[in-house]
Amino acid sequence: RSEAGGEMADTIADTRRLFSKPQNLNDAYGPPSNFLEIDVSNPETVGVGRTRFTTYEIRLKTNLPIFKLKESRVRRRYSDFEWLRGELERDSKVVVPPLPGKALFRQLPFRGDDGIFDDSFIEERRAGLEQFLNKVAGHPLAQNERCLHMFLQDESVDKTYTPSKIRQA
Amino acid sequence: LHLHTLPVMSFFSFGQSAEIDIVLNDAETRKKAEHKTEDGKKDKYFLLYDGETVSGKVNVTLKNPGKRLEHQGIKIEFIGQIELYYDRGNHHEFVSLVKDLARPGELTQSQTFDFEFIHVEKPYESYTGQNVKLRYFLRATISRRLNDISKEMDIVVHTLSTYPELNSSIKMEVGIEDCLHIEFEYNKSKYHLKDVIVGKIYFLLVRLKIRHMEIDIVKRETTGTGPNVYHENDTIAKYEIMDGAPVRGESIPIRLFLAGYEMTPTMKDINKKYSVRYYLNLVLIDEEERRYFKQQEITLWRKGDIVRKSMSHQAAIASQRFEGSSSAEKALAQAQAKEQEQ
């Protein structure tokens, strides 16, 4: 009795792995190409009286080619974050995550604490801003927006800029 | 004034009635198949194939022995019909056969009638879906002036296919420019219901923080035509294939056994009323819960049962594939020799 040819006769599927190129050792053990770290730290309150506001240091380290600088350090205030969020919501197709609260009630007079300059509030806000930036900066579509790069790496935010998309060099 | 006694009518409980029972001739030997009903329950029905003859007996049992049952005819029908849930009133019959069992008259005692539908065409597979149902059934009817007595017996039809001549693999490079490039490969484009999907995902460029990768099997049921097309998607399976962060040059294997999932063959434009298609959805998820996916249609088909080889022969085939060594080849030759002796 001869075996009918080919697959018809076999009831067991061939489950051996498909062939793949062995991985280059450089790729396996080298630094990953997706390194992106953003820290929001060192809150500083500047100004006097009613014109006081708090700025935060934003430190960025990366090896992603889309960022012009592989390391950068800038200072931004909460309203700059609000501006960035607005720009991204309008121009990109990204569902932008929320910012930590505006806490307007903290700006009312006759509070028992330091209002928006209260240490624990600033810390809460700092953590929320860091979470926001990490979520946004890693988004491939957000990375195409000029406003994100200006916010993260330019000396200051020019709100009169012309919105545009970044193309990889 | 005299009151006349009216003749007894059948809607009073002391009229004559009958019970109908339909029995297939090969009920002892014919296999049954499990099939889900509309409310999700699973039941077993006789399994029939296209072209098979449907023959059996209709047993009519009189409820009140001794009383006559007057009727306008007794018949049996074999029906294949499609029912769209949003249009319940309209049954689209694509198979409708009828055999008369008795001319109008009367039954004085319980009786059995033979029937045979020769080489019945059953072009489509039985299907109970989210928005549409296709079923086959036998229906025996005793016609009467006021109310018929009828009995239905559902049967299940499977459509079988053989190994396709052309069954190319699916191989594609996809991604987000300068961000994520992957090449995915599935070993076939057409799989039978007990098949195994063997494939791989090869990472060409990884500038995202990928955390997890899975393959979903998605079933899409499409009903309606033209502007009233309605797609109902159902994720039948989610199968994790990678946990952790891949880097460039890494290759992730896929081995997905289909027998564990409840699926039907791919059905395209059944009687121009509905389709059921299956897709593999490759999903990558990054550290921020963002999802990146690529959907690819596959064709599913139903294989007929074939005679199994002996266990030792099957084990020998498997080990030869695994090892590819001479000792495994010897084992295979031994098992083949043993089979030939038997």
Side-chain angles (χ1 to χ4, degrees):
Chain A
R1 179 165 54 87
S2 63
E3 223 177 86
E7 242 179 323
M8 270 307 272
D10 290 329
T11 54
I12 318 159
D14 186 355
T15 58
R16 287 173 296 180
R17 289 189 183 185
L18 299 182
F19 171 75
S20 22
K21 262 191 312 201
Q23 190 182 23
N24 183 320
L25 284 182
N26 257 337
D27 289 339
Y29 294 104
S33 331
N34 61 3
F35 177 64
L36 172 65
E37 264 178 22
I38 299 179
D39 293 311
V40 176
S41 60
N42 291 342
E44 262 173 32
T45 302
V46 294
V48 278
R50 281 211 244 131
T51 63
R52 274 182 306 167
F53 59 94
T54 308
T55 63
Y56 303 83
E57 182 180 291
I58 301 175
R59 246 186 344 215
L60 183 146
K61 288 201 175 117
T62 188
N63 66 359
L64 298 180
I66 195 126
F67 289 100
K68 206 150 50 123
L69 302 174
K70 298 308 165 218
E71 274 189 41
S72 64
R73 196 188 291 225
V74 297
R75 292 207 79 92
R76 299 281 182 255
R77 57 185 292 186
Y78 183 84
S79 55
D80 294 330
F81 283 83
E82 283 185 309
W83 169 88
L84 172 66
R85 185 169 194 282
E87 294 297 293
L88 288 174
E89 272 213 322
R90 188 192 64 226
D91 289 339
S92 79
K93 298 204 189 76
V94 175
V95 174
V96 191
L99 281 169
K102 209 162 154 56
L104 285 170
F105 61 93
R106 281 189 173 261
Q107 295 180 45
L108 296 172
F110 311 123
R111 286 187 64 92
D113 57 18
D114 294 323
I116 57 169
F117 304 105
D118 186 66
D119 283 338
S120 65
F121 169 72
I122 286 182
E123 172 50 31
E124 220 180 271
R125 181 173 267 195
R126 184 210 64 77
L129 293 175
E130 190 174 78
Q131 200 179 65
F132 169 83
L133 270 191
N134 276 293
K135 258 204 164 73
V136 164
H139 196 305
L141 292 180
Q143 283 169 5
N144 288 337
E145 299 294 328
R146 176 87 193 93
C147 57
L148 179 72
H149 294 270
M150 180 164 71
F151 178 94
L152 288 172
Q153 305 204 308
D154 284 10
E155 177 72 38
S156 57
V157 171
D158 174 13
K159 296 183 179 158
T160 67
Y161 84 124
T162 311
S164 60
K165 303 273 190 256
I166 306 263
R167 286 258 69 225
Q168 196 89 271
Chain B
L1 282 165
H2 291 289
L3 292 172
H4 295 278
T5 333
L6 292 167
V8 171
M9 299 176 102
S10 51
F11 46 72
F12 294 122
S13 58
F14 39 84
Q16 178 57 291
S17 188
E19 255 171 37
I20 307 178
D21 191 27
I22 307 172
V23 182
L24 294 182
N25 282 342
D26 54 6
E28 298 283 304
T29 51
R30 185 168 284 280
K31 277 212 187 117
K32 282 192 162 178
E34 253 184 26
H35 195 78
K36 239 191 332 188
T37 56
E38 227 179 290
D39 47 15
K41 273 197 306 194
K42 275 220 197 118
D43 236 330
K44 284 198 150 151
Y45 304 92
F46 284 112
L47 177 60
L48 270 63
Y49 299 101
D50 188 17
E52 279 192 300
T53 289
V54 187
S55 63
K57 300 188 188 324
V58 176
N59 299 323
V60 179
T61 312
L62 297 181
K63 280 217 180 117
N64 301 315
K67 280 223 174 86
R68 288 189 299 226
L69 178 74
E70 282 182 26
H71 64 85
Q72 319 299 111
I74 306 180
K75 68 179 180 201
I76 182 155
E77 299 168 278
F78 181 88
I79 300 196
Q81 73 181 27
I82 296 173
E83 185 183 310
L84 292 156
Y85 296 171
Y86 60 78
D87 188 20
R88 294 269 185 188
N90 287 326
H91 294 166
H92 304 272
E93 289 181 3
F94 56 90
V95 173
S96 180
L97 304 170
V98 64
K99 278 257 170 0
D100 286 319
L101 300 174
R103 289 211 301 272
E106 61 183 31
L107 290 178
T108 49
Q109 55 184 26
S110 300
Q111 203 171 329
T112 292
F113 302 90
D114 289 300
F115 69 88
E116 188 179 49
F117 295 105
I118 302 186
H119 301 318
V120 181
E121 218 184 289
K122 306 174 204 76
Y124 312 118
E125 175 151 324
S126 297
Y127 175 68
T128 301
Q130 299 286 90
N131 301 288
V132 62
K133 182 161 75 167
L134 185 149
R135 62 186 270 247
Y136 295 87
F137 57 96
L138 285 160
R139 180 170 61 207
T141 309
I142 303 174
S143 304
R144 299 200 295 177
R145 223 175 311 128
L146 290 165
N147 55 337
D148 295 344
I149 307 171
S150 74
K151 181 79 192 284
E152 282 181 7
M153 184 179 98
D154 271 59
I155 56 134
V156 161
V157 171
H158 283 173
T159 52
L160 301 179
S161 307
T162 50
Y163 278 95
E165 262 174 46
L166 218 62
N167 199 352
S168 50
S169 66
I170 300 170
K171 193 168 179 174
M172 232 180 263
E173 195 185 305
V174 295
I176 301 170
E177 195 157 341
D178 298 320
C179 221
L180 175 71
H181 290 187
I182 61 168
E183 184 190 78
F184 70 87
E185 185 177 347
Y186 305 129
N187 62 333
K188 304 183 205 176
S189 36
K190 301 177 187 162
Y191 292 93
H192 62 80
L193 296 179
K194 306 249 191 296
D195 215 332
V196 187
I197 298 177
V198 175
K200 73 174 206 284
I201 309 297
Y202 180 73
F203 287 90
L204 292 150
L205 178 70
V206 190
R207 294 207 179 115
L208 293 174
K209 298 187 191 183
I210 302 288
R211 182 174 59 77
H212 169 94
M213 184 163 61
E214 67 184 43
I215 285 213
D216 299 347
I217 303 179
V218 178
K219 169 184 162 191
R220 176 179 294 181
E221 181 192 278
T222 303
T223 46
T225 50
N228 299 322
V229 167
Y230 178 67
H231 301 292
E232 175 117 23
N233 289 340
D234 185 22
T235 301
I236 294 191
K238 280 181 190 236
Y239 188 73
E240 178 180 275
I241 57 174
M242 179 185 81
D243 182 22
V247 291
R248 176 170 54 221
E250 257 191 277
S251 196
I252 305 299
I254 299 166
R255 189 181 288 145
L256 180 47
F257 290 84
L258 295 178
Y261 304 106
E262 264 178 44
M263 297 185 299
T264 69
T266 293
M267 303 177 194
K268 289 193 187 155
D269 208 27
I270 301 299
N271 206 233
K272 299 201 203 314
K273 297 269 176 301
Y274 66 93
S275 296
V276 179
R277 302 171 103 115
Y278 291 87
Y279 302 83
L280 291 180
N281 201 20
L282 180 69
V283 185
L284 293 96
I285 301 168
D286 73 12
E287 299 259 319
E288 300 296 341
E289 302 298 324
R290 285 178 285 255
R291 300 163 69 87
Y292 309 83
F293 66 92
K294 173 74 183 129
Q295 209 172 69
Q296 184 64 43
E297 182 173 4
I298 52 166
T299 302
L300 294 183
W301 55 279
R302 188 184 291 280
K303 190 164 72 122
D305 286 330
I306 56 174
V307 177
R308 298 196 156 280
K309 290 185 178 336
S310 72
M311 290 298 280
S312 62
H313 193 173
Q314 291 195 55
I317 292 174
S319 81
Q320 186 189 39
R321 283 189 187 140
F322 185 73
E323 295 170 50
S325 68
S326 59
S327 62
E329 274 170 18
K330 249 193 235 157
L332 179 59
Q334 273 176 355
Q336 274 178 317
K338 230 199 224 151
E339 288 253 319
Q340 288 192 346
E341 281 170 34
Q342 284 166 357

